[in-house]
Amino acid sequence: MGRAFEFRKARKMKRWSAMSKAFTRIGKDIVMAVKEGGPDPDANSRLRAVIQNAKAVNMPKDNIERAIKRASDKNQGNYKEVLFEGYAPHGIAVLIETATDNNTRTVANVRSYFNKSDGSLGTSGSVVFMFDHTCNFRIQGEGMDLEELELELIDHGVEEIFEDEDGVLIYAPFESFGSIQAYLEENNIEILSSGFERIPQVTKKLSETEAADVEKLLEKLEEDDDVQNVYHTMEESAE
């Protein structure tokens, strides 16, 4: 198995099970998707992907429809996607994806989390190069020949395909998202969920005490309503 498999395995055990913010995050994704391409999922591939993700976390259909309706209102403000970079204690690089309607507030909050945790907020480009920006798809794998599927998708940029208890996972570079989505839809392969991740190229193992220092910062960041995703270079155990 490759890096994407190991990355997913470790993060799934530790963070992906926490769904308390899922509806809020998806609500923002719906607003951004509708503002970008309109409220019709058939004509808006980004919105189709968000709706799939909403269903994957059991977001009620009524909630999805209300979110789309609200996003279509001209008085509904939009969210800006802003990337923050910095260092946690012990030299751990941290990358934070946010969706905010008030950048001043978000910058102040993120900076305070770093300062209070003995970390440092960096400048643009200071750590992003340490992570590979990837896209992923989860599909139903029952009765599917994964080797044949992988051969079909290589031309679309796919780098890794593997199966776990959630289905078949497909990983590729960020820019391959549209091509893969189109292929799966054209071949009537149901997409259960999809998204983007930043996989660290190299991770650093810390002692239990050092890891606890880093966790304090990560928890503060992940609790912030403006934060969508947090990535770092600390080695995580899949146990």
Side-chain angles (χ1 to χ4, degrees):
M1 294 295 182
R3 283 195 305 121
F5 172 82
E6 295 301 332
F7 171 80
R8 177 179 171 84
K9 183 180 178 183
R11 284 180 63 89
K12 180 180 175 64
M13 295 300 293
K14 197 164 193 180
R15 300 189 195 285
W16 290 14
S17 60
M19 302 304 295
S20 59
K21 288 182 62 176
F23 287 7
T24 300
R25 289 170 175 168
I26 288 173
K28 289 184 178 182
D29 287 339
I30 288 174
V31 170
M32 291 186 286
V34 170
K35 294 288 185 183
E36 179 184 286
D40 181 7
D42 292 334
N44 185 338
S45 60
R46 181 175 179 179
L47 181 58
R48 285 201 302 277
V50 176
I51 291 173
Q52 290 157 359
N53 294 343
K55 292 177 179 177
V57 296
N58 299 316
M59 188 173 187
K61 183 179 179 181
D62 288 348
N63 290 32
I64 297 172
E65 292 175 349
R66 283 198 299 270
I68 293 174
K69 186 175 181 180
R70 284 198 304 271
S72 303
D73 190 328
K74 292 182 179 179
N75 294 322
Q76 169 68 54
N78 200 3
Y79 293 100
K80 181 181 180 182
E81 295 176 288
V82 183
L83 190 67
F84 291 93
E85 307 171 48
Y87 280 93
H90 313 296
I92 298 299
V94 182
L95 200 57
I96 307 111
E97 294 176 339
T98 68
T100 178
D101 57 359
N102 185 332
N103 193 51
T104 301
R105 175 194 66 222
T106 307
V107 171
N109 286 345
V110 171
R111 180 177 287 112
S112 73
Y113 302 145
F114 275 96
N115 290 343
K116 291 175 182 177
S117 303
D118 295 323
S120 59
L121 184 62
T123 57
S124 178
S126 58
V127 306
V128 69
F129 66 92
M130 301 179 189
F131 299 80
D132 291 329
H133 201 183
T134 67
C135 67
N136 64 78
F137 294 84
R138 180 165 62 93
I139 62 176
Q140 188 64 257
E142 188 175 349
M144 188 168 291
D145 186 329
L146 297 191
E147 289 187 7
E148 183 178 337
L149 179 64
E150 187 168 13
L151 288 173
E152 290 289 333
L153 287 173
I154 283 176
D155 289 340
H156 296 272
V158 168
E159 295 179 338
E160 195 170 337
I161 295 180
F162 56 87
E163 189 171 12
D164 67 9
E165 66 273 18
D166 292 329
V168 172
L169 281 298
I170 300 169
Y171 274 80
F174 171 81
E175 57 272 12
S176 298
F177 184 89
S179 176
I180 297 170
Q181 182 186 39
Y183 174 88
L184 295 174
E185 291 178 345
E186 288 167 5
N187 287 273
N188 297 314
I189 298 173
E190 183 183 3
I191 301 171
L192 301 177
S193 65
S194 61
F196 304 97
E197 290 173 333
R198 297 177 187 267
I199 301 179
Q201 296 167 359
V202 178
T203 56
K204 182 178 181 181
K205 187 173 181 62
L206 299 181
S207 68
E208 188 174 335
T209 301
E210 291 171 335
D213 293 337
V214 176
E215 286 292 344
K216 290 177 183 178
L217 171 59
L218 300 180
E219 287 171 5
K220 288 177 182 177
L221 290 167
E222 289 169 346
E223 288 170 359
D224 191 288
D225 287 340
D226 292 337
V227 172
Q228 296 286 87
N229 294 293
V230 179
Y231 302 100
H232 57 82
T233 58
M234 180 174 65
E235 181 178 313
E236 290 187 286
S237 172
E239 297 301 324

